[in-house]
Amino acid sequence: MAQGLTPSDNSKKRGSAAAGGRFPGAGRNGQPGEGAADGRVSIMFRWLTAGESHGRALAAICDGVPAGVRVTSEDVAQALARRRAGYGRGARMKFEQDEVELTGGVRHGATLGGPVAIRVGNTEWPKWETVMSPDPVTQEDLDSQARNAPLTRPRPGHADLAGMQKFGHIDARPILERASARETAARVALGEVAKRLLDQALGVKILSHVVSLGAVAVPDDAAIPEPADLAAIDQDPVRCADAATSARMIAEVDAARKDGDTLGGVVEVVVHGLPPGLGSFTQWDRKLDARLAGALVSIQAIKGVEFGDGFTTAARRGSHAHDEIYLGPDGVRRRTNRAGGIEGGMSTGEVLRVRAAMKPISTVPRALETIDVATGETAKAINQRSDVTAVPAAGVVAEAMVALVLAEAATEKFGGDSVEELRRNAEGYLKSMVIS
């Protein structure tokens, strides 16, 4: 165990960062075997977001962040600026700015150990103050607002229709406001805190890049980006690490815009420096790949996830599908990384690679067929956006989700109420590994 801790000591140490001093898997009374109160194994690191697309602000809160993570409002603002960038975005991204406010858990640029709360204000709120007011508004005031017209034509590919059926609405506004990808701004804000925790405590570096956009893809033998490549990737219009492919992707976006259509694509998140042993094979909800897959699919418009060579490996024979193990000068390694850095639900110590496939934006300029739920008549779906693609931005959101999952897994594995303690525990774990 790390730093010579006994199993009992380690359980207490890990439990110190959780509510009520419980340890992962503990019941309501802190007794083992009863199951966590929320049905989840992990209670060390948790987060939530709140708010609507055109509301006053998005709110995000993260519990379980160790003390001493260095992060500022400017750090979060820069992360959110990355999310708004990318060739193919519409005019809304030019005026939809993010007002960042760290409202709790941070003092003088460092986390305190308590919950971190972040507010992301909406600069467009004055235009929506009446329509989206949390307090009652007179019918006369609502009728005077063109924006308040009921949205009765649900958009194919969105949450509109299923959400209206689920919650009993005949207006799509209450659904699309929360289902909107605008909510990912709150995730990116929290993800920046998680990324800095992982970097400062474990030396873990996370980046993303676009590997396909529409029908254009990077070559199969393209090099895996290194942390030093991130600045260049962010400067590329479509966040592609290969310059020749980037030019073809830009042409693909231009063609789709001319045709009045939209594009999807695939982003890859790459994680360098991850230690072996995060996650577990012992239960379905402890598996690191399962948790990462669930987190990535939770991003709006993501329809598929693969680790390493994923679907390509499925077509290979077994003799060419797995990563052979050898003893090198730096210890036990794998000759290849087809598994993407995860085996048996656990990190292997190799570079983690996970890809997420994003469908084309559902709101297309050439509106799709739907029905008007107020009349039952055939209609054209409402069109509220002008983006051709959001794939470059999806990579930034995917980074945030991967960081949040890995931060949860790291605090479970190593515990610690501060960055320094977590680092010491991790170093002790690595030094005491039976096989290294």
Side-chain angles (χ1 to χ4, degrees), residues 41 85 95 98 111 122 156 188-189 226 238 245 249 277 297 306 391 432:
V41 170
F95 61 76
D98 298 306
T111 58
N122 179 10
V188 170
E226 298 287 335
V238 289
T245 306
M249 288 179 175
V297 170
E306 69 172 342
V391 173
S432 65

Side-chain angles (χ1 to χ4, degrees), residues 203-351:
V204 171
K205 306 288 187 181
I206 302 175
L207 66 150
S208 67
H209 63 124
V210 174
V211 294
S212 74
L213 188 53
V216 179
V218 298
D220 292 338
D221 60 353
I224 298 172
E226 298 287 335
D229 298 324
L230 180 57
I233 292 171
D234 280 346
Q235 290 174 4
D236 184 82
V238 289
R239 300 196 71 252
C240 180
D242 183 80
T245 306
S246 173
R248 294 168 52 221
M249 288 179 175
I250 291 171
E252 183 87 342
V253 172
D254 290 341
R257 180 184 285 113
K258 182 179 179 180
D259 293 340
D261 221 328
T262 60
L263 295 173
V266 177
V267 298
E268 181 176 64
V269 179
V270 181
V271 184
H272 293 268
L274 201 64
L278 297 190
S280 178
F281 59 86
T282 59
Q283 294 290 350
W284 68 272
D285 56 349
R286 289 184 181 268
K287 292 177 178 287
L288 187 61
D289 46 0
R291 293 156 70 175
L292 286 167
L296 289 169
V297 170
S298 77
I299 300 171
Q300 291 84 340
I302 298 299
K303 302 299 287 185
V305 173
E306 69 172 342
F307 293 88
D309 293 353
F311 296 109
T312 300
T313 292
R316 294 170 173 157
R317 292 192 175 187
S319 56
H320 293 83
H322 305 291
D323 303 313
E324 294 183 310
I325 300 169
Y326 72 101
L327 183 61
D330 298 324
V332 177
R333 299 296 302 273
R334 288 156 178 81
R335 296 192 184 280
T336 54
N337 191 18
R338 294 161 180 156
I342 296 182
E343 289 180 343
M346 300 166 290
S347 59
T348 65
E350 303 291 340
V351 174

Side-chain angles (χ1 to χ4, degrees), residues 4 15 45 71 97 102 129 131 141 146 157 165 224 254 263 294 309 324 345 376 418:
F45 188 98
V71 64
Q97 301 299 307
L102 301 182
E129 189 170 0
V131 175
D141 286 340
Q165 293 172 321
I224 298 172
D254 290 341
L263 295 173
D309 293 353
E324 294 183 310
S418 69

Side-chain angles (χ1 to χ4, degrees), residues 152-167:
T152 59
R153 292 171 289 152
R155 299 162 297 174
H158 281 266
D160 296 358
L161 181 56
M164 293 164 77
Q165 293 172 321
K166 176 179 175 62
F167 291 101

